[in-house]
Amino acid sequence: MATRERSATDSVVEARARYVAAGVATPPFVVARAEGARVEDVDGRTYIDFAGGLGCQNTGHGLPSAVAAIHDQVDRYLHQCFMVGVYEPYVDVCRRLAELSPCRGAEQKSLLLNSGAEAVENAVKIARVATGRPAVVVFDRAFHGRTLLAMTMTSKVVPYKRGFGPFAPEVYRAPAPYPYRDVSTDDAIDGLEALLKSDVDPQAVACVVLEPVQGEGGLIPMPRDFPPRLRELCDRHGILYVDDEVQSGVARTGPVWAIEHYGVEPDLLVSGKSLGGGLPLAAVTGRSEVVDAVAPGGLGGTFGGNPVACAAAVAVLDEVVTESFQRRARELGERIREALDGIASRVGAVGEVRGLGPMLALELVEDRETKAPASSLAGATVAAARERGLLVLSCGLYGNVIRILVPLVIGDEDLERGLELLEESLVAASASA
Ligand code: PLP
């Protein structure tokens, strides 16, 4: 039998297995370069990218204006630490975040950090100081990150929580709406009211934290009436509303922030992922009375708001507000939804097509009546897609949702080819299931 020649991918994957922690789950795919919505591997194969570096490339790999700003910044200085020397790129990002903020209040301020988890933790720190209260309310299927508090706030045991306890105290969980599985806005609000009767005094709650479109938990957009009703409940009890837009923000759903679809003004907004255009940057934004509740020295970090990442973020934020970017995001949302509806009409394993703007997904089920999650089918579809040259991700409490986080700069030809490959992969995976 002929043996396959050892590829460049094989040797990196072997070295990865030898030297890199097994706890970081990785596919057998090794990146060499990326541009726009295409990624090339070390063996010269090109992939259409529907994963966008896990939602970090809404403006595409290597947004030219961000790359130019990065080069320019690299030639000036790489790092200062904002606590050692103030620098303009940090202030410029905060100015743009203030101008674009959907939060309540006239004067907005921001704090910059390295990751979504760190930003979530800092939003809670700020909310605790601003209210003088300890508790945090989060929701079923939430994902807020992997650090201690963020992991506690996250709602999936395997792989995110098993063995990692003890967890942080004063985190309470309420139901989140999930219309496909019969959890309505009324059910979720009733559940939250019950939680505030039975488990935690509303007067002890600093904040609720909600993703307007749950990402890792299954790409579930909140129904139109849930954020407004949650806002009303928060106001009744003096609780701050924290909007986690790490995945749904920076134009992922069309408008800069997904909460804009709901007409709700949160108290704090958490952003990350695509904010840095591929460099690590996250932020907490909100009105100055809330953000400035923390005294100087209480917030910060060595690398938070790194100048190179900030230079990229200014370019990213300037790009996503342009009319042409917004128009393309709308077009992509409509076209991808139409294509996914077509796939659902032909492939029985699709239980639901859902999403908001161009942040879209297919929930896969064993059977449309029982809605039993088809977890292994989703995994097999992702693998089949990769073999065919398409990068796509699964998500969900049961791992049975295929989500599309395509860079919003993809051309029509790649988009159509990617959608065809997705269907082909799903059909092939269904046939061998
Ligand atoms: N919040 C949400 C909604 C996320 O989707 C994520 C990451 O997927 C995080 C927080 C954590 O972000 P990071 O991985 O940058 O810590």
Side-chain angles (χ1 to χ4, degrees):
M1 207 171 82
T3 49
R4 190 170 66 87
E5 234 177 79
R6 205 156 159 279
S7 66
T9 297
D10 293 337
S11 64
V12 180
V13 168
E14 273 169 38
R16 177 260 175 270
R18 166 64 186 82
Y19 295 111
V20 182
V24 187
T26 47
F29 160 66
V30 183
V31 180
R33 56 179 63 244
E35 193 181 347
R38 284 193 179 195
V39 181
E40 191 183 312
D41 75 8
V42 286
D43 289 302
R45 278 198 76 190
T46 301
Y47 297 76
I48 295 170
D49 186 8
F50 277 14
L54 228 173
C56 298
Q57 300 293 349
N58 294 351
T59 51
H61 295 278
L63 173 69
S65 56
V67 171
I70 289 167
H71 280 296
D72 190 45
Q73 184 57 44
V74 163
D75 289 338
R76 289 164 200 254
Y77 54 93
L78 299 177
H79 168 73
Q80 279 302 316
C81 185
F82 202 62
M83 297 175 293
V84 172
V86 169
Y87 46 87
E88 285 175 86
Y90 192 121
V91 181
D92 288 344
V93 173
C94 294
R95 180 185 292 125
R96 279 169 178 73
L97 288 171
E99 287 162 2
L100 296 171
S101 175
C103 293
R104 190 175 269 182
E107 229 179 69
Q108 301 285 311
K109 287 192 170 183
S110 295
L111 159 73
L112 302 184
L113 304 136
N114 301 292
S115 70
E118 201 189 347
V120 165
E121 299 231 357
N122 276 277
V124 172
K125 281 169 66 173
I126 292 168
R128 283 178 168 160
V129 173
T131 58
R133 301 169 173 194
V136 180
V137 171
V138 291
F139 293 88
D140 285 343
R141 294 175 304 280
F143 185 90
H144 297 297
R146 294 167 178 272
T147 52
L148 178 63
L149 176 59
M151 165 181 70
T152 307
M153 293 164 65
T154 287
S155 140
K156 186 170 176 178
V157 173
V158 178
Y160 304 131
K161 299 173 93 151
R162 178 171 285 170
F164 295 142
F167 299 104
E170 293 299 327
V171 175
Y172 299 86
R173 193 171 306 283
Y178 192 174
Y180 178 62
R181 294 192 181 271
D182 301 322
V183 186
S184 66
T185 292
D186 282 346
D187 297 333
I189 293 288
D190 289 351
L192 177 52
E193 300 271 20
L195 182 81
L196 298 177
K197 279 267 177 240
S198 61
D199 284 319
V200 57
D201 179 353
Q203 292 184 15
V205 179
C207 60
V208 301
V209 186
L210 177 70
E211 299 156 80
V213 182
Q214 293 187 314
E216 303 304 305
L219 214 138
I220 305 162
M222 292 298 102
R224 295 283 153 175
D225 56 346
F226 186 64
R229 288 185 61 189
L230 183 63
R231 176 72 268 184
E232 185 276 318
L233 185 147
C234 285
D235 287 342
R236 209 164 358 110
H237 296 294
I239 297 170
L240 297 180
Y241 184 131
V242 179
D243 177 33
D244 181 347
E245 298 243 11
V246 170
Q247 192 160 150
S248 62
V250 194
R252 182 67 256 160
T253 70
V256 180
W257 310 114
I259 199 74
E260 295 174 46
H261 290 278
Y262 297 90
V264 160
E265 292 181 333
D267 296 296
L268 291 171
L269 172 113
V270 181
S271 55
K273 285 196 184 278
S274 280
L275 181 62
L279 294 183
L281 189 70
V284 183
T285 302
R287 67 180 173 283
S288 24
E289 304 93 274
V290 175
V291 173
D292 284 348
V294 182
L299 303 174
T302 305
F303 282 115
N306 168 270
V308 184
C310 287
V314 168
V316 165
L317 291 173
D318 286 349
E319 176 67 17
V320 295
V321 295
T322 60
E323 176 51 33
S324 55
F325 191 89
Q326 291 279 315
R327 191 178 340 106
R328 183 63 179 156
R330 275 195 301 277
E331 274 170 19
L332 288 170
E334 284 161 20
R335 174 60 197 132
I336 298 169
R337 185 179 280 273
E338 180 190 43
L340 296 186
D341 284 339
I343 295 176
S345 71
R346 294 183 290 274
V347 183
V350 178
E352 186 178 48
V353 175
R354 61 169 175 258
L356 196 54
M359 184 174 183
L360 286 156
L362 298 172
E363 173 153 1
L364 305 183
V365 289
E366 304 279 352
D367 173 316
R368 282 185 176 168
E369 290 299 306
T370 65
K371 300 183 180 174
S375 312
S376 48
L377 176 60
T381 302
V382 168
R386 194 170 50 244
E387 280 161 24
R388 288 167 172 74
L390 172 70
L391 301 178
V392 68
L393 300 167
S394 62
C395 64
L397 196 54
Y398 297 94
N400 65 318
V401 178
I402 302 285
R403 67 179 145 170
I404 296 181
L405 299 173
V406 63
L408 301 172
V409 297
I410 191 168
D412 287 338
E413 213 175 291
D414 276 0
L415 177 70
E416 296 307 326
R417 182 71 191 129
L419 291 165
E420 273 168 29
L421 289 174
L422 178 62
E423 179 163 2
E424 253 177 65
S425 310
L426 179 55
V427 168
S430 306
S432 59

PDB file of all heavy atoms in Angstrom, residues 125-149:
ATOM      1  N   LYS A 125     -16.651  44.310  38.088  1.00  0.00           N
ATOM      2  CA  LYS A 125     -15.979  45.110  39.129  1.00  0.00           C
ATOM      3  C   LYS A 125     -16.583  46.516  39.183  1.00  0.00           C
ATOM      4  O   LYS A 125     -16.897  47.048  40.259  1.00  0.00           O
ATOM      5  CB  LYS A 125     -14.474  45.229  38.832  1.00  0.00           C
ATOM      6  CG  LYS A 125     -13.667  43.991  39.211  1.00  0.00           C
ATOM      7  CD  LYS A 125     -12.234  44.045  38.657  1.00  0.00           C
ATOM      8  CE  LYS A 125     -11.375  45.147  39.254  1.00  0.00           C
ATOM      9  NZ  LYS A 125      -9.951  45.026  38.788  1.00  0.00           N
ATOM     10  N   ILE A 126     -16.740  47.122  38.009  1.00  0.00           N
ATOM     11  CA  ILE A 126     -17.276  48.484  37.950  1.00  0.00           C
ATOM     12  C   ILE A 126     -18.715  48.505  38.483  1.00  0.00           C
ATOM     13  O   ILE A 126     -19.083  49.372  39.285  1.00  0.00           O
ATOM     14  CB  ILE A 126     -17.216  49.020  36.494  1.00  0.00           C
ATOM     15  CG1 ILE A 126     -15.759  49.215  36.066  1.00  0.00           C
ATOM     16  CG2 ILE A 126     -18.023  50.309  36.341  1.00  0.00           C
ATOM     17  CD1 ILE A 126     -15.559  49.472  34.571  1.00  0.00           C
ATOM     18  N   ALA A 127     -19.520  47.528  38.046  1.00  0.00           N
ATOM     19  CA  ALA A 127     -20.926  47.493  38.479  1.00  0.00           C
ATOM     20  C   ALA A 127     -21.014  47.313  39.991  1.00  0.00           C
ATOM     21  O   ALA A 127     -21.880  47.908  40.655  1.00  0.00           O
ATOM     22  CB  ALA A 127     -21.668  46.368  37.757  1.00  0.00           C
ATOM     23  N   ARG A 128     -20.129  46.505  40.550  1.00  0.00           N
ATOM     24  CA  ARG A 128     -20.155  46.290  42.006  1.00  0.00           C
ATOM     25  C   ARG A 128     -19.839  47.578  42.752  1.00  0.00           C
ATOM     26  O   ARG A 128     -20.511  47.935  43.725  1.00  0.00           O
ATOM     27  CB  ARG A 128     -19.168  45.184  42.400  1.00  0.00           C
ATOM     28  CG  ARG A 128     -19.718  43.803  42.082  1.00  0.00           C
ATOM     29  CD  ARG A 128     -18.728  42.706  42.430  1.00  0.00           C
ATOM     30  NE  ARG A 128     -19.386  41.404  42.376  1.00  0.00           N
ATOM     31  CZ  ARG A 128     -18.754  40.253  42.249  1.00  0.00           C
ATOM     32  NH1 ARG A 128     -17.427  40.219  42.174  1.00  0.00           N
ATOM     33  NH2 ARG A 128     -19.427  39.123  42.212  1.00  0.00           N
ATOM     34  N   VAL A 129     -18.810  48.270  42.302  1.00  0.00           N
ATOM     35  CA  VAL A 129     -18.441  49.520  42.994  1.00  0.00           C
ATOM     36  C   VAL A 129     -19.531  50.572  42.794  1.00  0.00           C
ATOM     37  O   VAL A 129     -19.927  51.264  43.737  1.00  0.00           O
ATOM     38  CB  VAL A 129     -17.070  50.036  42.502  1.00  0.00           C
ATOM     39  CG1 VAL A 129     -16.767  51.404  43.091  1.00  0.00           C
ATOM     40  CG2 VAL A 129     -15.971  49.048  42.887  1.00  0.00           C
ATOM     41  N   ALA A 130     -20.053  50.668  41.555  1.00  0.00           N
ATOM     42  CA  ALA A 130     -21.044  51.712  41.258  1.00  0.00           C
ATOM     43  C   ALA A 130     -22.328  51.514  42.056  1.00  0.00           C
ATOM     44  O   ALA A 130     -23.002  52.484  42.411  1.00  0.00           O
ATOM     45  CB  ALA A 130     -21.342  51.738  39.760  1.00  0.00           C
ATOM     46  N   THR A 131     -22.700  50.247  42.326  1.00  0.00           N
ATOM     47  CA  THR A 131     -23.964  49.989  43.035  1.00  0.00           C
ATOM     48  C   THR A 131     -23.743  49.669  44.508  1.00  0.00           C
ATOM     49  O   THR A 131     -24.704  49.670  45.288  1.00  0.00           O
ATOM     50  CB  THR A 131     -24.712  48.782  42.412  1.00  0.00           C
ATOM     51  OG1 THR A 131     -23.830  47.641  42.479  1.00  0.00           O
ATOM     52  CG2 THR A 131     -25.106  49.043  40.970  1.00  0.00           C
ATOM     53  N   GLY A 132     -22.534  49.309  44.881  1.00  0.00           N
ATOM     54  CA  GLY A 132     -22.282  48.839  46.245  1.00  0.00           C
ATOM     55  C   GLY A 132     -22.934  47.488  46.523  1.00  0.00           C
ATOM     56  O   GLY A 132     -23.203  47.133  47.666  1.00  0.00           O
ATOM     57  N   ARG A 133     -23.190  46.722  45.467  1.00  0.00           N
ATOM     58  CA  ARG A 133     -23.864  45.420  45.620  1.00  0.00           C
ATOM     59  C   ARG A 133     -22.954  44.298  45.102  1.00  0.00           C
ATOM     60  O   ARG A 133     -22.178  44.528  44.165  1.00  0.00           O
ATOM     61  CB  ARG A 133     -25.156  45.411  44.802  1.00  0.00           C
ATOM     62  CG  ARG A 133     -26.151  46.496  45.198  1.00  0.00           C
ATOM     63  CD  ARG A 133     -27.246  46.558  44.155  1.00  0.00           C
ATOM     64  NE  ARG A 133     -28.331  47.446  44.503  1.00  0.00           N
ATOM     65  CZ  ARG A 133     -29.498  47.444  43.883  1.00  0.00           C
ATOM     66  NH1 ARG A 133     -29.731  46.607  42.886  1.00  0.00           N
ATOM     67  NH2 ARG A 133     -30.447  48.277  44.251  1.00  0.00           N
ATOM     68  N   PRO A 134     -23.093  43.072  45.616  1.00  0.00           N
ATOM     69  CA  PRO A 134     -22.162  42.010  45.223  1.00  0.00           C
ATOM     70  C   PRO A 134     -22.614  41.088  44.079  1.00  0.00           C
ATOM     71  O   PRO A 134     -21.780  40.515  43.385  1.00  0.00           O
ATOM     72  CB  PRO A 134     -22.062  41.173  46.510  1.00  0.00           C
ATOM     73  CG  PRO A 134     -23.411  41.339  47.172  1.00  0.00           C
ATOM     74  CD  PRO A 134     -23.880  42.730  46.807  1.00  0.00           C
ATOM     75  N   ALA A 135     -23.933  40.892  43.893  1.00  0.00           N
ATOM     76  CA  ALA A 135     -24.368  39.754  43.067  1.00  0.00           C
ATOM     77  C   ALA A 135     -24.424  40.088  41.571  1.00  0.00           C
ATOM     78  O   ALA A 135     -24.566  41.240  41.169  1.00  0.00           O
ATOM     79  CB  ALA A 135     -25.740  39.275  43.533  1.00  0.00           C
ATOM     80  N   VAL A 136     -24.316  39.011  40.779  1.00  0.00           N
ATOM     81  CA  VAL A 136     -24.354  39.113  39.315  1.00  0.00           C
ATOM     82  C   VAL A 136     -25.372  38.097  38.818  1.00  0.00           C
ATOM     83  O   VAL A 136     -25.341  36.939  39.246  1.00  0.00           O
ATOM     84  CB  VAL A 136     -22.975  38.738  38.719  1.00  0.00           C
ATOM     85  CG1 VAL A 136     -22.988  38.832  37.204  1.00  0.00           C
ATOM     86  CG2 VAL A 136     -21.881  39.602  39.309  1.00  0.00           C
ATOM     87  N   VAL A 137     -26.247  38.520  37.923  1.00  0.00           N
ATOM     88  CA  VAL A 137     -27.198  37.573  37.331  1.00  0.00           C
ATOM     89  C   VAL A 137     -26.811  37.338  35.882  1.00  0.00           C
ATOM     90  O   VAL A 137     -26.611  38.292  35.114  1.00  0.00           O
ATOM     91  CB  VAL A 137     -28.652  38.091  37.434  1.00  0.00           C
ATOM     92  CG1 VAL A 137     -29.595  37.198  36.617  1.00  0.00           C
ATOM     93  CG2 VAL A 137     -29.099  38.123  38.892  1.00  0.00           C
ATOM     94  N   VAL A 138     -26.686  36.061  35.537  1.00  0.00           N
ATOM     95  CA  VAL A 138     -26.358  35.664  34.160  1.00  0.00           C
ATOM     96  C   VAL A 138     -27.440  34.699  33.687  1.00  0.00           C
ATOM     97  O   VAL A 138     -28.389  34.406  34.429  1.00  0.00           O
ATOM     98  CB  VAL A 138     -24.961  35.013  34.092  1.00  0.00           C
ATOM     99  CG1 VAL A 138     -23.883  36.035  34.353  1.00  0.00           C
ATOM    100  CG2 VAL A 138     -24.848  33.847  35.070  1.00  0.00           C
ATOM    101  N   PHE A 139     -27.289  34.177  32.481  1.00  0.00           N
ATOM    102  CA  PHE A 139     -28.391  33.448  31.862  1.00  0.00           C
ATOM    103  C   PHE A 139     -27.977  32.061  31.385  1.00  0.00           C
ATOM    104  O   PHE A 139     -26.795  31.790  31.178  1.00  0.00           O
ATOM    105  CB  PHE A 139     -28.956  34.283  30.704  1.00  0.00           C
ATOM    106  CG  PHE A 139     -29.619  35.539  31.215  1.00  0.00           C
ATOM    107  CD1 PHE A 139     -28.867  36.694  31.408  1.00  0.00           C
ATOM    108  CD2 PHE A 139     -30.950  35.542  31.576  1.00  0.00           C
ATOM    109  CE1 PHE A 139     -29.453  37.841  31.924  1.00  0.00           C
ATOM    110  CE2 PHE A 139     -31.549  36.688  32.106  1.00  0.00           C
ATOM    111  CZ  PHE A 139     -30.800  37.844  32.276  1.00  0.00           C
ATOM    112  N   ASP A 140     -28.978  31.219  31.196  1.00  0.00           N
ATOM    113  CA  ASP A 140     -28.736  29.902  30.621  1.00  0.00           C
ATOM    114  C   ASP A 140     -28.016  30.063  29.283  1.00  0.00           C
ATOM    115  O   ASP A 140     -28.336  30.983  28.511  1.00  0.00           O
ATOM    116  CB  ASP A 140     -30.064  29.183  30.343  1.00  0.00           C
ATOM    117  CG  ASP A 140     -30.720  28.661  31.614  1.00  0.00           C
ATOM    118  OD1 ASP A 140     -30.027  28.561  32.637  1.00  0.00           O
ATOM    119  OD2 ASP A 140     -31.926  28.354  31.572  1.00  0.00           O
ATOM    120  N   ARG A 141     -27.100  29.168  29.011  1.00  0.00           N
ATOM    121  CA  ARG A 141     -26.328  29.106  27.754  1.00  0.00           C
ATOM    122  C   ARG A 141     -25.394  30.294  27.552  1.00  0.00           C
ATOM    123  O   ARG A 141     -24.869  30.510  26.457  1.00  0.00           O
ATOM    124  CB  ARG A 141     -27.248  28.970  26.524  1.00  0.00           C
ATOM    125  CG  ARG A 141     -28.008  27.651  26.459  1.00  0.00           C
ATOM    126  CD  ARG A 141     -28.966  27.631  25.314  1.00  0.00           C
ATOM    127  NE  ARG A 141     -29.865  28.750  25.387  1.00  0.00           N
ATOM    128  CZ  ARG A 141     -30.947  28.794  26.175  1.00  0.00           C
ATOM    129  NH1 ARG A 141     -31.261  27.746  26.915  1.00  0.00           N
ATOM    130  NH2 ARG A 141     -31.696  29.863  26.211  1.00  0.00           N
ATOM    131  N   ALA A 142     -25.168  31.089  28.608  1.00  0.00           N
ATOM    132  CA  ALA A 142     -24.255  32.237  28.471  1.00  0.00           C
ATOM    133  C   ALA A 142     -22.825  31.761  28.266  1.00  0.00           C
ATOM    134  O   ALA A 142     -22.428  30.717  28.802  1.00  0.00           O
ATOM    135  CB  ALA A 142     -24.313  33.077  29.735  1.00  0.00           C
ATOM    136  N   PHE A 143     -22.057  32.517  27.507  1.00  0.00           N
ATOM    137  CA  PHE A 143     -20.599  32.341  27.487  1.00  0.00           C
ATOM    138  C   PHE A 143     -19.984  33.710  27.718  1.00  0.00           C
ATOM    139  O   PHE A 143     -20.228  34.649  26.965  1.00  0.00           O
ATOM    140  CB  PHE A 143     -20.086  31.766  26.151  1.00  0.00           C
ATOM    141  CG  PHE A 143     -18.605  31.481  26.203  1.00  0.00           C
ATOM    142  CD1 PHE A 143     -18.126  30.239  26.622  1.00  0.00           C
ATOM    143  CD2 PHE A 143     -17.678  32.461  25.884  1.00  0.00           C
ATOM    144  CE1 PHE A 143     -16.757  29.986  26.708  1.00  0.00           C
ATOM    145  CE2 PHE A 143     -16.304  32.220  25.971  1.00  0.00           C
ATOM    146  CZ  PHE A 143     -15.848  30.980  26.384  1.00  0.00           C
ATOM    147  N   HIS A 144     -19.172  33.803  28.783  1.00  0.00           N
ATOM    148  CA  HIS A 144     -18.539  35.088  29.075  1.00  0.00           C
ATOM    149  C   HIS A 144     -17.025  34.974  29.192  1.00  0.00           C
ATOM    150  O   HIS A 144     -16.366  35.965  29.509  1.00  0.00           O
ATOM    151  CB  HIS A 144     -19.139  35.696  30.346  1.00  0.00           C
ATOM    152  CG  HIS A 144     -20.615  36.002  30.213  1.00  0.00           C
ATOM    153  ND1 HIS A 144     -21.100  36.920  29.303  1.00  0.00           N
ATOM    154  CD2 HIS A 144     -21.700  35.481  30.842  1.00  0.00           C
ATOM    155  CE1 HIS A 144     -22.431  36.974  29.394  1.00  0.00           C
ATOM    156  NE2 HIS A 144     -22.814  36.109  30.303  1.00  0.00           N
ATOM    157  N   GLY A 145     -16.451  33.777  29.000  1.00  0.00           N
ATOM    158  CA  GLY A 145     -14.995  33.649  29.026  1.00  0.00           C
ATOM    159  C   GLY A 145     -14.538  32.544  29.958  1.00  0.00           C
ATOM    160  O   GLY A 145     -15.347  31.798  30.517  1.00  0.00           O
ATOM    161  N   ARG A 146     -13.207  32.466  30.122  1.00  0.00           N
ATOM    162  CA  ARG A 146     -12.613  31.302  30.783  1.00  0.00           C
ATOM    163  C   ARG A 146     -11.844  31.623  32.065  1.00  0.00           C
ATOM    164  O   ARG A 146     -11.254  30.727  32.647  1.00  0.00           O
ATOM    165  CB  ARG A 146     -11.664  30.603  29.802  1.00  0.00           C
ATOM    166  CG  ARG A 146     -12.336  29.989  28.598  1.00  0.00           C
ATOM    167  CD  ARG A 146     -11.285  29.628  27.573  1.00  0.00           C
ATOM    168  NE  ARG A 146     -11.820  28.977  26.383  1.00  0.00           N
ATOM    169  CZ  ARG A 146     -11.999  27.662  26.259  1.00  0.00           C
ATOM    170  NH1 ARG A 146     -11.720  26.854  27.244  1.00  0.00           N
ATOM    171  NH2 ARG A 146     -12.453  27.167  25.121  1.00  0.00           N
ATOM    172  N   THR A 147     -11.770  32.889  32.461  1.00  0.00           N
ATOM    173  CA  THR A 147     -11.112  33.202  33.735  1.00  0.00           C
ATOM    174  C   THR A 147     -12.095  32.901  34.871  1.00  0.00           C
ATOM    175  O   THR A 147     -13.266  32.611  34.609  1.00  0.00           O
ATOM    176  CB  THR A 147     -10.686  34.680  33.750  1.00  0.00           C
ATOM    177  OG1 THR A 147     -11.828  35.477  33.401  1.00  0.00           O
ATOM    178  CG2 THR A 147      -9.566  34.947  32.768  1.00  0.00           C
ATOM    179  N   LEU A 148     -11.650  32.987  36.127  1.00  0.00           N
ATOM    180  CA  LEU A 148     -12.479  32.429  37.206  1.00  0.00           C
ATOM    181  C   LEU A 148     -13.898  32.993  37.236  1.00  0.00           C
ATOM    182  O   LEU A 148     -14.873  32.236  37.204  1.00  0.00           O
ATOM    183  CB  LEU A 148     -11.798  32.620  38.570  1.00  0.00           C
ATOM    184  CG  LEU A 148     -12.653  32.105  39.730  1.00  0.00           C
ATOM    185  CD1 LEU A 148     -12.882  30.605  39.642  1.00  0.00           C
ATOM    186  CD2 LEU A 148     -12.015  32.458  41.058  1.00  0.00           C
ATOM    187  N   LEU A 149     -14.031  34.316  37.297  1.00  0.00           N
ATOM    188  CA  LEU A 149     -15.386  34.870  37.375  1.00  0.00           C
ATOM    189  C   LEU A 149     -16.138  34.646  36.067  1.00  0.00           C
ATOM    190  O   LEU A 149     -17.303  34.228  36.071  1.00  0.00           O
ATOM    191  CB  LEU A 149     -15.314  36.369  37.722  1.00  0.00           C
ATOM    192  CG  LEU A 149     -16.657  37.103  37.753  1.00  0.00           C
ATOM    193  CD1 LEU A 149     -17.620  36.489  38.763  1.00  0.00           C
ATOM    194  CD2 LEU A 149     -16.449  38.589  38.066  1.00  0.00           C
TER     195      LEU A 149
END
